[in-house]
Amino acid sequence: MILIVDDKPENIYSLKALLTLHSFPVDTALSGEEALKKILAHNYALIILDVQMPGMDGFEVAESISGYSKSKDIPIIFLTAANTDKKYITRGYSSGGVDYITKPIDPDILLLKVKTLYRLYEQSRKLNEMHDNLVVEVEYRKKAERETSEKAAELRSILESIPQIAFTIRTDGTLEFTNHRWLEYSTSPGHFPPVHPEDIDIQEEVIKAIALQKPVELETRLKRIAGTDYRYHLLRLVPVLENDTIVKWAGTFTDIEDQKQASRRKDEFLSIASHELKTPLTSIKAYIQLLERESKDNSQYKPYVDRALTQVSKLNSLITDLLDISKIQSGKLEFNKKEFDFDAMLKSQLEMTKQNHPDYHLDHHGTTETLVYGDEIRLEQVITNFISNAIKYSPKEKKIVIETRADDQHVHFAVTDFGIGIPKDEQKNLFRKFYRAQGAAPHFQGMGLGLYICSEIIQRHDGSFGVNSEPGKGSTFHFTIPFKKQLS
Ligand code: ADP
């Protein structure tokens, strides 16, 4: 907006008409004092200022304006009498005015000057705006940079203080930072520590994982540069996120040799204990079976003999599971694979279950009508385990549904119960060694080994397995195996 300041309304009128005609927005003031008030309250792009005014003259107004930071850059066109002494005009310039025009006003010259100054003002206003924005932007970036380097320093000092070998790695896979422990295992901060010759190349694994944006968790053996013995370490690599974007990766190697050895000793103990227990238990079982045969049906000892036999069978199956585990661990779980009639095996299995659990209703659908190439006893063990779990974990609802079918390559088997079910977050762990669902563990006996052994058996038949379950509604455990001999 342009402010016209003149004490004569007729002058204001003609100037206003001229500028409005050329689409300039205009405001007016009839005295220097009124002009000053308006200048403080509004933003003007240009002021046209009559020099000769009663009270405050134009130069005085200009001088005052130049004292305010808000208005000091507003261009001014002074309107002077033709005979105005030059020294007054210079006074006009020195007090911040930028141009003048003599009366009587030539409208073309005035318009020319107005346009030039108006444009100049607009440009300098835009420049100032850009400058202000730039200052804000620079400040913002400086702050972000400061924060990033503070965070990096914080992460580094944490990684220096922990007992693990630690490092950060850029998203292009190059090492960014390594803590002091790194150099106990690697000769250079730019290279991963060498691993045991039989272990996989960790640097390659790390680069692969970064490309796929997947965290890493793997065990590898490292040795100190100065040492000779390799020790197991757990390598963990996780992304460092900023605003949901991966900016780098942080990794650690944790020495887990002691846990590994403890677990190895535990496995050895379980293996020895189960072997040693198996022989006397087999004898005890044989003697009790002998007693059972000898004791008459009406003997007062018959119920005790029966109960002893049941308990011995339980103990026997626990020890068998423990033996299986130690065989899996040592890679000695052997399979005697040949073709067998899957439906017949299942039928006899179901008959036995019905006899042992007459209160349960086993609802069997489907047949496979095919010979399966596999270890019949081991696959029967999986089926028994699924069904006995279904019975065990469904103490109230006594219906169990068993489904079998075959497609052109696979046999599918599933057992559904309507029992306690398993929470979603625990389902993925059920096939792990010694894992028992939290809700079930205190109320049902077990060691958490059955499903682990089943998973091993199915995997050794090139099959797949899984569970669908809903707490309080029941569970379906299923497996699928190819029925033909696999070439491998
Ligand atoms: P165990 O039954 O001896 O604990 P398993 O390996 O057979 O060992 O099963 C592991 C865990 O899986 C069980 O402890 C139980 O929590 C859960 N589970 C297995 N089958 C079922 C089922 N049918 N319904 C509910 N939970 C089950």
Side-chain angles (χ1 to χ4, degrees):
M1 182 131 59
I2 299 174
L3 177 66
I4 306 170
V5 189
D6 201 315
D7 59 317
K8 296 187 187 72
E10 62 276 18
N11 286 353
I12 286 195
Y13 179 79
S14 62
L15 277 175
K16 188 174 177 181
L18 175 70
L19 293 176
T20 316
L21 189 68
H22 287 85
S23 310
F24 289 105
V26 171
D27 195 5
T28 59
L30 282 164
S31 68
E33 291 80 357
E34 189 190 351
L36 279 182
K37 270 188 210 149
K38 287 198 162 185
I39 288 163
L40 283 179
H42 306 285
N43 286 324
Y44 294 107
L46 173 65
I47 302 168
I48 299 175
L49 194 53
D50 186 19
V51 171
Q52 283 168 324
M53 286 188 292
M56 237 183 156
D57 74 12
F59 298 134
E60 283 166 339
V61 174
E63 240 170 48
S64 302
I65 293 172
S66 65
Y68 304 131
S69 63
K70 175 173 181 272
S71 54
K72 70 179 177 6
D73 295 325
I74 306 175
I76 300 171
I77 298 177
F78 291 106
L79 302 178
T80 63
N83 56 0
T84 306
D85 196 330
K86 255 217 168 140
K87 75 170 191 253
Y88 287 115
I89 294 166
T90 333
R91 193 177 142 204
Y93 274 111
S94 66
S95 56
V98 289
D99 211 341
Y100 71 95
I101 192 160
T102 50
K103 290 179 182 172
I105 290 162
D106 177 335
D108 289 337
I109 294 182
L110 177 73
L111 269 178
L112 206 70
K113 294 196 173 192
V114 165
K115 278 182 189 165
T116 313
L117 289 176
Y118 201 89
R119 206 180 319 122
L120 259 177
Y121 179 79
E122 275 302 307
Q123 279 170 356
S124 75
R125 192 182 57 78
K126 278 192 190 137
L127 263 175
N128 282 342
E129 220 171 69
M130 272 159 69
H131 174 261
D132 290 349
N133 287 344
L134 262 176
V135 169
V136 172
E137 175 75 18
V138 167
E139 267 314 305
Y140 175 78
R141 283 187 186 214
K142 270 193 197 155
K143 192 166 162 248
E145 247 169 51
R146 237 184 353 255
E147 276 173 10
T148 310
S149 70
E150 271 168 23
K151 269 191 213 149
E154 199 181 330
L155 179 63
R156 281 168 189 214
S157 72
I158 292 172
L159 295 183
E160 275 302 355
S161 68
I162 58 176
Q164 283 98 333
I165 307 168
F167 59 99
T168 62
I169 197 160
R170 298 181 191 93
T171 47
D172 64 2
T174 53
L175 280 162
E176 180 195 49
F177 162 81
T178 52
N179 71 354
H180 66 282
R181 285 189 194 277
W182 181 273
L183 291 175
E184 293 171 22
Y185 292 82
S186 168
T187 46
S188 118
H191 290 99
F192 271 81
V195 297
H196 190 280
E198 285 166 15
D199 291 349
I200 51 171
D201 182 338
I202 44 172
Q203 186 154 5
E204 221 171 75
E205 287 302 307
V206 163
I207 289 173
K208 246 192 266 165
I210 289 177
L212 295 170
Q213 305 206 336
K214 279 200 165 156
V216 178
E217 194 167 310
L218 64 86
E219 290 177 7
T220 188
R221 281 168 287 180
L222 304 180
K223 81 173 174 61
R224 285 176 193 273
I225 297 173
T228 49
D229 296 337
Y230 281 95
R231 289 175 69 83
Y232 265 100
H233 284 73
L234 177 69
L235 163 62
R236 271 216 186 99
L237 185 72
V238 291
V240 178
L241 298 173
E242 254 175 49
N243 302 325
D244 291 335
T245 311
I246 299 178
V247 287
K248 64 176 85 174
W249 294 74
T252 50
F253 288 96
T254 310
D255 188 329
I256 51 164
E257 181 65 29
D258 293 344
Q259 287 106 297
K260 273 261 171 202
Q261 281 188 12
S263 147
R264 229 175 278 141
R265 280 196 292 274
K266 183 202 72 197
D267 291 344
E268 270 166 30
F269 169 76
L270 283 180
S271 165
I272 294 167
S274 45
H275 268 106
E276 293 300 318
L277 287 171
K278 185 82 181 168
T279 321
L281 189 69
T282 313
S283 313
I284 295 173
K285 195 175 173 188
Y287 289 129
I288 298 179
Q289 276 168 339
L290 204 69
L291 269 179
E292 191 201 21
R293 244 175 280 143
E294 293 299 312
S295 57
K296 306 266 171 326
D297 276 354
N298 56 2
S299 151
Q300 59 169 320
Y301 300 112
K302 174 92 166 73
Y304 303 122
V305 173
D306 285 348
R307 266 181 245 167
L309 201 57
T310 313
Q311 295 305 322
V312 165
S313 297
K314 275 191 188 166
L315 199 54
N316 192 46
S317 73
L318 285 180
I319 289 173
T320 311
D321 275 358
L322 284 175
L323 274 174
D324 279 350
I325 295 283
S326 58
K327 281 184 202 153
I328 292 173
Q329 251 129 31
S330 57
K332 288 185 191 143
L333 189 65
E334 279 170 14
F335 287 85
N336 177 18
K337 290 187 183 173
K338 51 183 188 292
E339 279 193 335
F340 69 94
D341 184 338
F342 190 88
D343 295 331
M345 177 269 276
L346 181 61
K347 192 165 167 252
S348 81
Q349 179 57 40
L350 291 180
E351 271 162 17
M352 218 153 69
T353 314
K354 278 179 192 162
Q355 261 178 29
N356 293 338
H357 300 277
D359 49 337
Y360 276 79
H361 174 65
L362 303 184
D363 194 359
H364 178 211
H365 303 282
T367 52
T368 65
E369 316 260 332
T370 181
L371 291 177
V372 169
Y373 181 80
D375 185 324
E376 182 172 359
I377 294 177
R378 288 293 179 192
L379 288 173
E380 192 177 353
Q381 185 181 349
V382 176
I383 290 174
T384 315
N385 213 304
F386 280 14
I387 298 178
S388 59
N389 275 352
I391 291 173
K392 176 158 80 170
Y393 295 106
S394 176
K396 291 197 189 114
E397 198 55 58
K398 308 263 178 203
K399 182 179 163 181
I400 310 283
V401 180
I402 291 124
E403 285 166 297
T404 39
R405 69 184 172 84
D407 57 27
D408 51 354
Q409 289 189 36
H410 296 91
V411 165
H412 303 265
F413 175 82
V415 179
T416 301
D417 65 64
F418 304 90
I420 62 168
I422 306 133
K424 191 114 212 112
D425 56 330
E426 294 200 80
Q427 290 174 16
K428 61 178 183 311
N429 297 323
L430 296 181
F431 293 89
R432 278 174 33 190
K433 202 172 31 173
F434 295 118
Y435 190 87
R436 308 201 68 217
Q438 279 179 10
H443 309 291
F444 300 89
Q445 280 186 351
M447 289 206 296
L449 292 179
L451 290 180
Y452 171 71
I453 298 169
C454 292
S455 71
E456 180 72 14
I457 295 172
I458 298 299
Q459 278 171 43
R460 296 281 297 273
H461 281 81
D462 301 303
S464 57
F465 52 86
V467 57
N468 303 320
S469 183
E470 216 178 300
K473 295 213 166 145
S475 317
T476 299
F477 282 82
H478 54 87
F479 73 77
T480 298
I481 48 163
F483 58 72
K484 291 207 182 95
K485 185 173 182 175
Q486 300 295 295
L487 305 168
S488 68

